[in-house]
Amino acid sequence: MKSLQNINVPHPFPYQGSKRGIAKFILSHFPSDVRCLYEPFCGSGAVSIAAAAHGLASLFALNDLNIPLIALWGEILENPHGLCDKYERRWLEQHHDRKAYFFKIRDEFNKSHDPDQLLYLLARIVKGSVRYSSEGLFNQSADNRRSGMRPNTMRQNIFGVSALLSKKTKLTALDFREAIKSAKESDLIYMDPPYQGTSFTRDHRYFNGLSYDDFVEALSIMNEKNLSYIISYDGVTGEKIHGKLLPNFLKLKHLHIHAGRSSQATLLGNIQETTESLYLSSSLVQRLANELPSRTRSVKAEQQELAFA
Ligand SMILES: C[S@@+](CC[C@H](N)C(=O)[O-])C[C@H]1O[C@@H](n2cnc3c(N)ncnc32)[C@H](O)[C@@H]1O
C-alpha cells in the first residue's frame, strides 16, 4: 500500500455516496503506471479528482448513465466561468423565498434537463441524495435549513476540478459496459455501482441501475481481458451486511475499509461503524506485485548511491 501526501482536493458538488472520504485509501491500491483511469459510475467523480490531484493517471474517462449529470461535468470542464456565474445568480435570487425558488428550478429542470439548473438542485437537496420518480423526474426535496454552497466556495471548487481534469478527460453517458469497452491492460477501472437493493426498489436513489447478475457477468468478461479494476461494493454497518458479496470464482481480493460512522444509523440513535468493501481484480493484484521488485531495486540503488557518496 502506497502512502500519499495530504493535499486539499476540490469537489464539484455534493453527491450522496461520494467516495471523497475514503478516496485516499482507494488510491493507495493504484499501480504507478496508469495510462487512463476509467470511472464508469462516476457521480461526483471523487476518486478521479483525487487521482488527478496526486498525479496518479495521465488520462481520465468519466461516465454516468445520468445524461444531465454528464452535461454538468461538461460545463465544469469546458465552461467553469459561465457555470459559476449562473450558480451565483440563482443562489442570490433564491433568498426572497428559498423553498418556492427550489421548486421552480426543479420544475424547469424536469422539462429542460439544463445542467446549470442541476448544479443548483444538487447544492440544495437533502444530503446531496439524488432521487428520481419512476417516470424519471427529479423529485428530491430541498434542505430548507441551508442555502447551498456559497458562490465563492463553489467557484473555488469548480475551478479546482476543472484545472485538474480539463483537456485530459473524456466524458460519456452510457451504460458502464459500453463506457469501458476501450479499456486496455495498462489502464485502471474504478467502479462504484449503485447500492444493491436501491436500484430496482421504490427507493430511486440513483438514476437507473443494474442487476447483480449483469454486474458479475461484466466482471467475468473484464477478467478474460486481464483488466485491472477496483470495485467499491456495499458494506457492513455494525452487524448488518448490505447486499451480497461478489462470488469467489471472480478471484477478487476482498479488502475492508473502516469508513467511520454511518449517518443513517446515527440518525436512528445507533452509533455504528461502517465498513466498506473494496475488491481488487487479480490482474491488478499481479500488477502491484510486479511493481514490488522494481520499488525494492530503486530503494537498494538509492542506498548504494548513499554508500558511495
Ligand atoms: C454510488 S454512485 C457513484 C458515486 C461516486 N463514486 C462519487 O464519488 O460521487 C453510482 C452512480 O452510478 C450511476 N449508474 C447507475 N447505473 C448505471 C449504469 N448501468 N451505468 C453507468 N452508470 C450508472 C448513477 O447515476 C450514480 O451516479
Side-chain angles (χ1 to χ4, degrees), residues 9-21 39 41-50 62-64 69-70 72-73 76 122 128 130 161 165 190 192 206:
V9 178
H11 66 112
F13 43 79
Y15 204 71
Q16 192 179 51
S18 159
K19 289 293 180 278
R20 247 180 107 200
E39 198 176 348
F41 300 94
C42 73
S44 65
V47 167
S48 293
I49 298 168
L62 295 183
N63 175 77
D64 199 288
L69 188 81
I70 290 299
L72 173 57
W73 267 106
I76 292 170
L122 287 168
V130 177
V161 171
L165 289 175
Y190 169 68
D192 181 21
Y206 296 109

PDB file of all heavy atoms in Angstrom, residues 9-21 39 41-50 62-64 69-70 72-73 76 122 128 130 161 165 190 192 206:
ATOM      1  N   VAL A   9      -8.198  18.466  -1.762  1.00  0.00           N
ATOM      2  CA  VAL A   9      -8.762  18.049  -3.056  1.00  0.00           C
ATOM      3  C   VAL A   9     -10.137  18.701  -3.231  1.00  0.00           C
ATOM      4  O   VAL A   9     -10.999  18.552  -2.368  1.00  0.00           O
ATOM      5  CB  VAL A   9      -8.864  16.498  -3.105  1.00  0.00           C
ATOM      6  CG1 VAL A   9      -9.495  16.039  -4.399  1.00  0.00           C
ATOM      7  CG2 VAL A   9      -7.494  15.858  -2.930  1.00  0.00           C
ATOM      8  N   PRO A  10     -10.355  19.439  -4.334  1.00  0.00           N
ATOM      9  CA  PRO A  10     -11.666  20.085  -4.520  1.00  0.00           C
ATOM     10  C   PRO A  10     -12.751  19.066  -4.870  1.00  0.00           C
ATOM     11  O   PRO A  10     -12.451  17.946  -5.294  1.00  0.00           O
ATOM     12  CB  PRO A  10     -11.426  21.016  -5.712  1.00  0.00           C
ATOM     13  CG  PRO A  10     -10.309  20.387  -6.472  1.00  0.00           C
ATOM     14  CD  PRO A  10      -9.450  19.659  -5.474  1.00  0.00           C
ATOM     15  N   HIS A  11     -14.001  19.440  -4.689  1.00  0.00           N
ATOM     16  CA  HIS A  11     -15.102  18.562  -5.104  1.00  0.00           C
ATOM     17  C   HIS A  11     -16.161  19.427  -5.786  1.00  0.00           C
ATOM     18  O   HIS A  11     -16.405  20.556  -5.368  1.00  0.00           O
ATOM     19  CB  HIS A  11     -15.666  17.782  -3.921  1.00  0.00           C
ATOM     20  CG  HIS A  11     -16.337  18.615  -2.893  1.00  0.00           C
ATOM     21  ND1 HIS A  11     -17.682  18.566  -2.661  1.00  0.00           N
ATOM     22  CD2 HIS A  11     -15.846  19.531  -2.041  1.00  0.00           C
ATOM     23  CE1 HIS A  11     -17.989  19.428  -1.711  1.00  0.00           C
ATOM     24  NE2 HIS A  11     -16.899  20.018  -1.315  1.00  0.00           N
ATOM     25  N   PRO A  12     -16.776  18.909  -6.861  1.00  0.00           N
ATOM     26  CA  PRO A  12     -17.611  19.789  -7.692  1.00  0.00           C
ATOM     27  C   PRO A  12     -19.011  20.028  -7.172  1.00  0.00           C
ATOM     28  O   PRO A  12     -19.583  21.081  -7.418  1.00  0.00           O
ATOM     29  CB  PRO A  12     -17.655  19.039  -9.025  1.00  0.00           C
ATOM     30  CG  PRO A  12     -17.498  17.598  -8.661  1.00  0.00           C
ATOM     31  CD  PRO A  12     -16.660  17.551  -7.422  1.00  0.00           C
ATOM     32  N   PHE A  13     -19.615  19.055  -6.506  1.00  0.00           N
ATOM     33  CA  PHE A  13     -20.982  19.233  -5.989  1.00  0.00           C
ATOM     34  C   PHE A  13     -21.230  18.133  -4.956  1.00  0.00           C
ATOM     35  O   PHE A  13     -20.591  17.081  -5.003  1.00  0.00           O
ATOM     36  CB  PHE A  13     -22.039  19.162  -7.114  1.00  0.00           C
ATOM     37  CG  PHE A  13     -21.816  18.064  -8.124  1.00  0.00           C
ATOM     38  CD1 PHE A  13     -22.171  16.756  -7.839  1.00  0.00           C
ATOM     39  CD2 PHE A  13     -21.246  18.343  -9.359  1.00  0.00           C
ATOM     40  CE1 PHE A  13     -21.966  15.746  -8.774  1.00  0.00           C
ATOM     41  CE2 PHE A  13     -21.038  17.331 -10.301  1.00  0.00           C
ATOM     42  CZ  PHE A  13     -21.398  16.033 -10.000  1.00  0.00           C
ATOM     43  N   PRO A  14     -22.157  18.378  -4.005  1.00  0.00           N
ATOM     44  CA  PRO A  14     -22.464  17.329  -3.030  1.00  0.00           C
ATOM     45  C   PRO A  14     -23.159  16.163  -3.733  1.00  0.00           C
ATOM     46  O   PRO A  14     -24.005  16.389  -4.608  1.00  0.00           O
ATOM     47  CB  PRO A  14     -23.426  18.016  -2.057  1.00  0.00           C
ATOM     48  CG  PRO A  14     -23.491  19.444  -2.452  1.00  0.00           C
ATOM     49  CD  PRO A  14     -22.977  19.581  -3.838  1.00  0.00           C
ATOM     50  N   TYR A  15     -22.792  14.947  -3.388  1.00  0.00           N
ATOM     51  CA  TYR A  15     -23.401  13.770  -4.033  1.00  0.00           C
ATOM     52  C   TYR A  15     -23.414  12.631  -3.031  1.00  0.00           C
ATOM     53  O   TYR A  15     -22.353  12.222  -2.536  1.00  0.00           O
ATOM     54  CB  TYR A  15     -22.570  13.385  -5.259  1.00  0.00           C
ATOM     55  CG  TYR A  15     -23.330  12.613  -6.314  1.00  0.00           C
ATOM     56  CD1 TYR A  15     -24.300  13.229  -7.094  1.00  0.00           C
ATOM     57  CD2 TYR A  15     -23.062  11.268  -6.545  1.00  0.00           C
ATOM     58  CE1 TYR A  15     -24.991  12.525  -8.071  1.00  0.00           C
ATOM     59  CE2 TYR A  15     -23.747  10.553  -7.525  1.00  0.00           C
ATOM     60  CZ  TYR A  15     -24.710  11.192  -8.279  1.00  0.00           C
ATOM     61  OH  TYR A  15     -25.390  10.498  -9.258  1.00  0.00           O
ATOM     62  N   GLN A  16     -24.606  12.123  -2.730  1.00  0.00           N
ATOM     63  CA  GLN A  16     -24.656  11.039  -1.759  1.00  0.00           C
ATOM     64  C   GLN A  16     -23.923   9.820  -2.304  1.00  0.00           C
ATOM     65  O   GLN A  16     -24.076   9.477  -3.474  1.00  0.00           O
ATOM     66  CB  GLN A  16     -26.105  10.653  -1.449  1.00  0.00           C
ATOM     67  CG  GLN A  16     -26.185   9.750  -0.240  1.00  0.00           C
ATOM     68  CD  GLN A  16     -27.605   9.371   0.093  1.00  0.00           C
ATOM     69  OE1 GLN A  16     -28.344   8.916  -0.783  1.00  0.00           O
ATOM     70  NE2 GLN A  16     -28.008   9.566   1.315  1.00  0.00           N
ATOM     71  N   GLY A  17     -23.121   9.196  -1.470  1.00  0.00           N
ATOM     72  CA  GLY A  17     -22.358   8.033  -1.920  1.00  0.00           C
ATOM     73  C   GLY A  17     -21.002   8.442  -2.466  1.00  0.00           C
ATOM     74  O   GLY A  17     -20.238   7.594  -2.926  1.00  0.00           O
ATOM     75  N   SER A  18     -20.688   9.743  -2.411  1.00  0.00           N
ATOM     76  CA  SER A  18     -19.378  10.185  -2.891  1.00  0.00           C
ATOM     77  C   SER A  18     -18.279   9.471  -2.100  1.00  0.00           C
ATOM     78  O   SER A  18     -18.410   9.273  -0.896  1.00  0.00           O
ATOM     79  CB  SER A  18     -19.242  11.690  -2.692  1.00  0.00           C
ATOM     80  OG  SER A  18     -17.870  12.038  -2.686  1.00  0.00           O
ATOM     81  N   LYS A  19     -17.224   9.103  -2.794  1.00  0.00           N
ATOM     82  CA  LYS A  19     -16.133   8.388  -2.130  1.00  0.00           C
ATOM     83  C   LYS A  19     -15.022   9.340  -1.687  1.00  0.00           C
ATOM     84  O   LYS A  19     -13.889   8.923  -1.478  1.00  0.00           O
ATOM     85  CB  LYS A  19     -15.585   7.285  -3.073  1.00  0.00           C
ATOM     86  CG  LYS A  19     -16.549   6.136  -3.245  1.00  0.00           C
ATOM     87  CD  LYS A  19     -16.729   5.360  -1.941  1.00  0.00           C
ATOM     88  CE  LYS A  19     -17.693   4.193  -2.036  1.00  0.00           C
ATOM     89  NZ  LYS A  19     -19.100   4.527  -1.933  1.00  0.00           N
ATOM     90  N   ARG A  20     -15.345  10.601  -1.511  1.00  0.00           N
ATOM     91  CA  ARG A  20     -14.367  11.597  -1.071  1.00  0.00           C
ATOM     92  C   ARG A  20     -13.632  11.177   0.186  1.00  0.00           C
ATOM     93  O   ARG A  20     -12.427  11.271   0.292  1.00  0.00           O
ATOM     94  CB  ARG A  20     -15.120  12.884  -0.735  1.00  0.00           C
ATOM     95  CG  ARG A  20     -14.845  14.003  -1.631  1.00  0.00           C
ATOM     96  CD  ARG A  20     -15.670  15.173  -1.160  1.00  0.00           C
ATOM     97  NE  ARG A  20     -14.834  16.160  -0.536  1.00  0.00           N
ATOM     98  CZ  ARG A  20     -15.275  17.096   0.288  1.00  0.00           C
ATOM     99  NH1 ARG A  20     -16.546  17.151   0.605  1.00  0.00           N
ATOM    100  NH2 ARG A  20     -14.454  17.966   0.763  1.00  0.00           N
ATOM    101  N   GLY A  21     -14.415  10.707   1.174  1.00  0.00           N
ATOM    102  CA  GLY A  21     -13.864  10.394   2.493  1.00  0.00           C
ATOM    103  C   GLY A  21     -12.853   9.254   2.473  1.00  0.00           C
ATOM    104  O   GLY A  21     -11.961   9.216   3.313  1.00  0.00           O
ATOM    105  N   GLU A  39     -13.719   5.776 -14.822  1.00  0.00           N
ATOM    106  CA  GLU A  39     -14.667   5.746 -13.689  1.00  0.00           C
ATOM    107  C   GLU A  39     -16.078   5.690 -14.292  1.00  0.00           C
ATOM    108  O   GLU A  39     -16.727   6.719 -14.508  1.00  0.00           O
ATOM    109  CB  GLU A  39     -14.461   6.957 -12.766  1.00  0.00           C
ATOM    110  CG  GLU A  39     -15.102   6.685 -11.418  1.00  0.00           C
ATOM    111  CD  GLU A  39     -14.907   7.747 -10.340  1.00  0.00           C
ATOM    112  OE1 GLU A  39     -14.078   8.660 -10.502  1.00  0.00           O
ATOM    113  OE2 GLU A  39     -15.618   7.648  -9.330  1.00  0.00           O
ATOM    114  N   PHE A  41     -19.019   4.692 -13.198  1.00  0.00           N
ATOM    115  CA  PHE A  41     -20.185   5.084 -12.379  1.00  0.00           C
ATOM    116  C   PHE A  41     -19.754   6.345 -11.636  1.00  0.00           C
ATOM    117  O   PHE A  41     -19.671   6.366 -10.406  1.00  0.00           O
ATOM    118  CB  PHE A  41     -20.509   3.996 -11.349  1.00  0.00           C
ATOM    119  CG  PHE A  41     -20.839   2.639 -11.910  1.00  0.00           C
ATOM    120  CD1 PHE A  41     -19.860   1.659 -12.067  1.00  0.00           C
ATOM    121  CD2 PHE A  41     -22.147   2.313 -12.259  1.00  0.00           C
ATOM    122  CE1 PHE A  41     -20.173   0.398 -12.558  1.00  0.00           C
ATOM    123  CE2 PHE A  41     -22.471   1.052 -12.748  1.00  0.00           C
ATOM    124  CZ  PHE A  41     -21.477   0.090 -12.899  1.00  0.00           C
ATOM    125  N   CYS A  42     -19.461   7.420 -12.365  1.00  0.00           N
ATOM    126  CA  CYS A  42     -18.645   8.478 -11.741  1.00  0.00           C
ATOM    127  C   CYS A  42     -19.383   9.342 -10.732  1.00  0.00           C
ATOM    128  O   CYS A  42     -18.762   9.816  -9.785  1.00  0.00           O
ATOM    129  CB  CYS A  42     -17.973   9.337 -12.800  1.00  0.00           C
ATOM    130  SG  CYS A  42     -19.084  10.449 -13.663  1.00  0.00           S
ATOM    131  N   GLY A  43     -20.685   9.613 -10.871  1.00  0.00           N
ATOM    132  CA  GLY A  43     -21.336  10.529  -9.930  1.00  0.00           C
ATOM    133  C   GLY A  43     -20.544  11.825  -9.835  1.00  0.00           C
ATOM    134  O   GLY A  43     -20.319  12.506 -10.844  1.00  0.00           O
ATOM    135  N   SER A  44     -20.042  12.137  -8.649  1.00  0.00           N
ATOM    136  CA  SER A  44     -19.239  13.359  -8.484  1.00  0.00           C
ATOM    137  C   SER A  44     -17.747  13.092  -8.727  1.00  0.00           C
ATOM    138  O   SER A  44     -16.924  13.987  -8.489  1.00  0.00           O
ATOM    139  CB  SER A  44     -19.454  13.938  -7.094  1.00  0.00           C
ATOM    140  OG  SER A  44     -18.966  13.045  -6.114  1.00  0.00           O
ATOM    141  N   GLY A  45     -17.402  11.882  -9.134  1.00  0.00           N
ATOM    142  CA  GLY A  45     -16.032  11.580  -9.591  1.00  0.00           C
ATOM    143  C   GLY A  45     -14.945  11.749  -8.541  1.00  0.00           C
ATOM    144  O   GLY A  45     -13.799  12.074  -8.872  1.00  0.00           O
ATOM    145  N   ALA A  46     -15.283  11.479  -7.269  1.00  0.00           N
ATOM    146  CA  ALA A  46     -14.328  11.770  -6.186  1.00  0.00           C
ATOM    147  C   ALA A  46     -12.985  11.066  -6.381  1.00  0.00           C
ATOM    148  O   ALA A  46     -11.929  11.662  -6.115  1.00  0.00           O
ATOM    149  CB  ALA A  46     -14.940  11.380  -4.844  1.00  0.00           C
ATOM    150  N   VAL A  47     -13.009   9.820  -6.853  1.00  0.00           N
ATOM    151  CA  VAL A  47     -11.744   9.076  -6.964  1.00  0.00           C
ATOM    152  C   VAL A  47     -10.904   9.621  -8.130  1.00  0.00           C
ATOM    153  O   VAL A  47      -9.684   9.786  -8.003  1.00  0.00           O
ATOM    154  CB  VAL A  47     -12.033   7.553  -7.087  1.00  0.00           C
ATOM    155  CG1 VAL A  47     -10.801   6.778  -7.524  1.00  0.00           C
ATOM    156  CG2 VAL A  47     -12.527   7.035  -5.733  1.00  0.00           C
ATOM    157  N   SER A  48     -11.560   9.975  -9.239  1.00  0.00           N
ATOM    158  CA  SER A  48     -10.795  10.533 -10.371  1.00  0.00           C
ATOM    159  C   SER A  48     -10.165  11.870  -9.999  1.00  0.00           C
ATOM    160  O   SER A  48      -9.018  12.151 -10.345  1.00  0.00           O
ATOM    161  CB  SER A  48     -11.702  10.730 -11.594  1.00  0.00           C
ATOM    162  OG  SER A  48     -12.124   9.478 -12.073  1.00  0.00           O
ATOM    163  N   ILE A  49     -10.928  12.701  -9.287  1.00  0.00           N
ATOM    164  CA  ILE A  49     -10.399  14.019  -8.909  1.00  0.00           C
ATOM    165  C   ILE A  49      -9.191  13.832  -7.984  1.00  0.00           C
ATOM    166  O   ILE A  49      -8.140  14.457  -8.173  1.00  0.00           O
ATOM    167  CB  ILE A  49     -11.485  14.873  -8.214  1.00  0.00           C
ATOM    168  CG1 ILE A  49     -12.647  15.132  -9.174  1.00  0.00           C
ATOM    169  CG2 ILE A  49     -10.909  16.195  -7.728  1.00  0.00           C
ATOM    170  CD1 ILE A  49     -13.884  15.707  -8.500  1.00  0.00           C
ATOM    171  N   ALA A  50      -9.332  12.927  -7.007  1.00  0.00           N
ATOM    172  CA  ALA A  50      -8.219  12.699  -6.070  1.00  0.00           C
ATOM    173  C   ALA A  50      -7.019  12.109  -6.822  1.00  0.00           C
ATOM    174  O   ALA A  50      -5.872  12.496  -6.562  1.00  0.00           O
ATOM    175  CB  ALA A  50      -8.679  11.781  -4.941  1.00  0.00           C
ATOM    176  N   LEU A  62     -14.621   9.634 -17.669  1.00  0.00           N
ATOM    177  CA  LEU A  62     -15.727   9.695 -16.705  1.00  0.00           C
ATOM    178  C   LEU A  62     -17.031   9.372 -17.415  1.00  0.00           C
ATOM    179  O   LEU A  62     -17.325   9.930 -18.476  1.00  0.00           O
ATOM    180  CB  LEU A  62     -15.845  11.101 -16.102  1.00  0.00           C
ATOM    181  CG  LEU A  62     -14.701  11.615 -15.231  1.00  0.00           C
ATOM    182  CD1 LEU A  62     -15.047  12.987 -14.663  1.00  0.00           C
ATOM    183  CD2 LEU A  62     -14.397  10.651 -14.106  1.00  0.00           C
ATOM    184  N   ASN A  63     -17.808   8.493 -16.792  1.00  0.00           N
ATOM    185  CA  ASN A  63     -19.079   8.089 -17.382  1.00  0.00           C
ATOM    186  C   ASN A  63     -20.132   7.955 -16.298  1.00  0.00           C
ATOM    187  O   ASN A  63     -19.833   7.546 -15.179  1.00  0.00           O
ATOM    188  CB  ASN A  63     -18.902   6.725 -18.062  1.00  0.00           C
ATOM    189  CG  ASN A  63     -20.221   6.178 -18.604  1.00  0.00           C
ATOM    190  OD1 ASN A  63     -20.705   6.625 -19.650  1.00  0.00           O
ATOM    191  ND2 ASN A  63     -20.838   5.219 -17.898  1.00  0.00           N
ATOM    192  N   ASP A  64     -21.366   8.306 -16.638  1.00  0.00           N
ATOM    193  CA  ASP A  64     -22.504   8.028 -15.756  1.00  0.00           C
ATOM    194  C   ASP A  64     -23.734   7.932 -16.654  1.00  0.00           C
ATOM    195  O   ASP A  64     -23.851   8.670 -17.643  1.00  0.00           O
ATOM    196  CB  ASP A  64     -22.676   9.153 -14.715  1.00  0.00           C
ATOM    197  CG  ASP A  64     -23.524   8.711 -13.525  1.00  0.00           C
ATOM    198  OD1 ASP A  64     -24.752   8.551 -13.705  1.00  0.00           O
ATOM    199  OD2 ASP A  64     -22.967   8.518 -12.434  1.00  0.00           O
ATOM    200  N   LEU A  69     -26.247  14.836 -15.680  1.00  0.00           N
ATOM    201  CA  LEU A  69     -25.083  14.886 -14.791  1.00  0.00           C
ATOM    202  C   LEU A  69     -23.791  14.978 -15.623  1.00  0.00           C
ATOM    203  O   LEU A  69     -22.871  15.732 -15.295  1.00  0.00           O
ATOM    204  CB  LEU A  69     -25.055  13.635 -13.900  1.00  0.00           C
ATOM    205  CG  LEU A  69     -24.010  13.663 -12.798  1.00  0.00           C
ATOM    206  CD1 LEU A  69     -24.510  14.482 -11.620  1.00  0.00           C
ATOM    207  CD2 LEU A  69     -23.699  12.261 -12.310  1.00  0.00           C
ATOM    208  N   ILE A  70     -23.758  14.234 -16.713  1.00  0.00           N
ATOM    209  CA  ILE A  70     -22.561  14.289 -17.570  1.00  0.00           C
ATOM    210  C   ILE A  70     -22.513  15.634 -18.314  1.00  0.00           C
ATOM    211  O   ILE A  70     -21.437  16.197 -18.528  1.00  0.00           O
ATOM    212  CB  ILE A  70     -22.519  13.066 -18.534  1.00  0.00           C
ATOM    213  CG1 ILE A  70     -22.227  11.790 -17.717  1.00  0.00           C
ATOM    214  CG2 ILE A  70     -21.495  13.243 -19.657  1.00  0.00           C
ATOM    215  CD1 ILE A  70     -20.889  11.780 -16.963  1.00  0.00           C
ATOM    216  N   LEU A  72     -23.464  18.344 -16.962  1.00  0.00           N
ATOM    217  CA  LEU A  72     -22.925  19.236 -15.929  1.00  0.00           C
ATOM    218  C   LEU A  72     -21.400  19.093 -15.860  1.00  0.00           C
ATOM    219  O   LEU A  72     -20.671  20.090 -15.773  1.00  0.00           O
ATOM    220  CB  LEU A  72     -23.579  18.905 -14.571  1.00  0.00           C
ATOM    221  CG  LEU A  72     -23.010  19.616 -13.350  1.00  0.00           C
ATOM    222  CD1 LEU A  72     -23.062  21.137 -13.503  1.00  0.00           C
ATOM    223  CD2 LEU A  72     -23.777  19.205 -12.081  1.00  0.00           C
ATOM    224  N   TRP A  73     -20.921  17.860 -15.938  1.00  0.00           N
ATOM    225  CA  TRP A  73     -19.470  17.645 -15.978  1.00  0.00           C
ATOM    226  C   TRP A  73     -18.839  18.392 -17.165  1.00  0.00           C
ATOM    227  O   TRP A  73     -17.759  18.957 -17.067  1.00  0.00           O
ATOM    228  CB  TRP A  73     -19.146  16.144 -16.065  1.00  0.00           C
ATOM    229  CG  TRP A  73     -18.927  15.528 -14.720  1.00  0.00           C
ATOM    230  CD1 TRP A  73     -19.782  14.696 -14.041  1.00  0.00           C
ATOM    231  CD2 TRP A  73     -17.784  15.701 -13.878  1.00  0.00           C
ATOM    232  NE1 TRP A  73     -19.232  14.347 -12.832  1.00  0.00           N
ATOM    233  CE2 TRP A  73     -18.010  14.940 -12.704  1.00  0.00           C
ATOM    234  CE3 TRP A  73     -16.594  16.417 -13.993  1.00  0.00           C
ATOM    235  CZ2 TRP A  73     -17.083  14.876 -11.669  1.00  0.00           C
ATOM    236  CZ3 TRP A  73     -15.676  16.357 -12.956  1.00  0.00           C
ATOM    237  CH2 TRP A  73     -15.928  15.601 -11.815  1.00  0.00           C
ATOM    238  N   ILE A  76     -18.476  21.934 -16.219  1.00  0.00           N
ATOM    239  CA  ILE A  76     -17.409  22.107 -15.220  1.00  0.00           C
ATOM    240  C   ILE A  76     -16.046  22.134 -15.927  1.00  0.00           C
ATOM    241  O   ILE A  76     -15.186  22.966 -15.622  1.00  0.00           O
ATOM    242  CB  ILE A  76     -17.458  20.965 -14.164  1.00  0.00           C
ATOM    243  CG1 ILE A  76     -18.717  21.112 -13.309  1.00  0.00           C
ATOM    244  CG2 ILE A  76     -16.195  20.934 -13.309  1.00  0.00           C
ATOM    245  CD1 ILE A  76     -19.011  19.932 -12.393  1.00  0.00           C
ATOM    246  N   LEU A 122     -28.491  20.172  -6.936  1.00  0.00           N
ATOM    247  CA  LEU A 122     -27.566  19.320  -6.169  1.00  0.00           C
ATOM    248  C   LEU A 122     -27.059  20.035  -4.920  1.00  0.00           C
ATOM    249  O   LEU A 122     -26.860  19.420  -3.871  1.00  0.00           O
ATOM    250  CB  LEU A 122     -26.377  18.898  -7.047  1.00  0.00           C
ATOM    251  CG  LEU A 122     -26.689  17.862  -8.129  1.00  0.00           C
ATOM    252  CD1 LEU A 122     -25.535  17.746  -9.118  1.00  0.00           C
ATOM    253  CD2 LEU A 122     -26.975  16.498  -7.516  1.00  0.00           C
ATOM    254  N   GLY A 128     -27.357  15.791  -0.419  1.00  0.00           N
ATOM    255  CA  GLY A 128     -26.850  15.506  -1.769  1.00  0.00           C
ATOM    256  C   GLY A 128     -27.408  14.208  -2.343  1.00  0.00           C
ATOM    257  O   GLY A 128     -26.788  13.576  -3.194  1.00  0.00           O
ATOM    258  N   VAL A 130     -29.596  12.301  -4.629  1.00  0.00           N
ATOM    259  CA  VAL A 130     -30.377  12.430  -5.868  1.00  0.00           C
ATOM    260  C   VAL A 130     -31.486  11.379  -5.886  1.00  0.00           C
ATOM    261  O   VAL A 130     -31.224  10.206  -5.627  1.00  0.00           O
ATOM    262  CB  VAL A 130     -29.433  12.189  -7.069  1.00  0.00           C
ATOM    263  CG1 VAL A 130     -30.192  12.224  -8.370  1.00  0.00           C
ATOM    264  CG2 VAL A 130     -28.319  13.205  -7.059  1.00  0.00           C
ATOM    265  N   VAL A 161     -11.475  21.677  -9.802  1.00  0.00           N
ATOM    266  CA  VAL A 161     -11.737  20.414 -10.503  1.00  0.00           C
ATOM    267  C   VAL A 161     -11.424  20.588 -11.993  1.00  0.00           C
ATOM    268  O   VAL A 161     -10.789  19.732 -12.627  1.00  0.00           O
ATOM    269  CB  VAL A 161     -13.211  19.975 -10.304  1.00  0.00           C
ATOM    270  CG1 VAL A 161     -13.550  18.790 -11.192  1.00  0.00           C
ATOM    271  CG2 VAL A 161     -13.470  19.630  -8.839  1.00  0.00           C
ATOM    272  N   LEU A 165      -8.814  18.351 -14.336  1.00  0.00           N
ATOM    273  CA  LEU A 165      -9.297  17.336 -15.287  1.00  0.00           C
ATOM    274  C   LEU A 165      -9.541  17.812 -16.725  1.00  0.00           C
ATOM    275  O   LEU A 165      -9.656  16.977 -17.626  1.00  0.00           O
ATOM    276  CB  LEU A 165     -10.591  16.709 -14.756  1.00  0.00           C
ATOM    277  CG  LEU A 165     -10.437  15.791 -13.530  1.00  0.00           C
ATOM    278  CD1 LEU A 165     -11.800  15.336 -13.030  1.00  0.00           C
ATOM    279  CD2 LEU A 165      -9.594  14.565 -13.854  1.00  0.00           C
ATOM    280  N   TYR A 190     -12.061   2.110 -11.987  1.00  0.00           N
ATOM    281  CA  TYR A 190     -12.599   2.158 -10.627  1.00  0.00           C
ATOM    282  C   TYR A 190     -14.123   2.184 -10.725  1.00  0.00           C
ATOM    283  O   TYR A 190     -14.696   3.033 -11.413  1.00  0.00           O
ATOM    284  CB  TYR A 190     -12.103   3.403  -9.861  1.00  0.00           C
ATOM    285  CG  TYR A 190     -12.894   3.565  -8.579  1.00  0.00           C
ATOM    286  CD1 TYR A 190     -12.754   2.632  -7.556  1.00  0.00           C
ATOM    287  CD2 TYR A 190     -13.829   4.578  -8.429  1.00  0.00           C
ATOM    288  CE1 TYR A 190     -13.531   2.710  -6.409  1.00  0.00           C
ATOM    289  CE2 TYR A 190     -14.612   4.666  -7.276  1.00  0.00           C
ATOM    290  CZ  TYR A 190     -14.452   3.723  -6.280  1.00  0.00           C
ATOM    291  OH  TYR A 190     -15.234   3.786  -5.154  1.00  0.00           O
ATOM    292  N   ASP A 192     -17.905   2.158  -8.778  1.00  0.00           N
ATOM    293  CA  ASP A 192     -18.715   2.345  -7.562  1.00  0.00           C
ATOM    294  C   ASP A 192     -20.178   2.286  -7.999  1.00  0.00           C
ATOM    295  O   ASP A 192     -20.844   3.314  -8.130  1.00  0.00           O
ATOM    296  CB  ASP A 192     -18.366   3.713  -6.942  1.00  0.00           C
ATOM    297  CG  ASP A 192     -19.145   3.973  -5.667  1.00  0.00           C
ATOM    298  OD1 ASP A 192     -19.629   3.019  -5.044  1.00  0.00           O
ATOM    299  OD2 ASP A 192     -19.246   5.165  -5.286  1.00  0.00           O
ATOM    300  N   TYR A 206     -30.576   6.395  -7.077  1.00  0.00           N
ATOM    301  CA  TYR A 206     -29.733   6.744  -8.213  1.00  0.00           C
ATOM    302  C   TYR A 206     -30.510   6.568  -9.497  1.00  0.00           C
ATOM    303  O   TYR A 206     -31.472   5.818  -9.558  1.00  0.00           O
ATOM    304  CB  TYR A 206     -28.468   5.879  -8.237  1.00  0.00           C
ATOM    305  CG  TYR A 206     -27.607   6.118  -7.038  1.00  0.00           C
ATOM    306  CD1 TYR A 206     -27.492   5.163  -6.049  1.00  0.00           C
ATOM    307  CD2 TYR A 206     -26.952   7.331  -6.873  1.00  0.00           C
ATOM    308  CE1 TYR A 206     -26.721   5.395  -4.939  1.00  0.00           C
ATOM    309  CE2 TYR A 206     -26.188   7.579  -5.766  1.00  0.00           C
ATOM    310  CZ  TYR A 206     -26.067   6.612  -4.800  1.00  0.00           C
ATOM    311  OH  TYR A 206     -25.308   6.842  -3.697  1.00  0.00           O
TER     312      TYR A 206
END
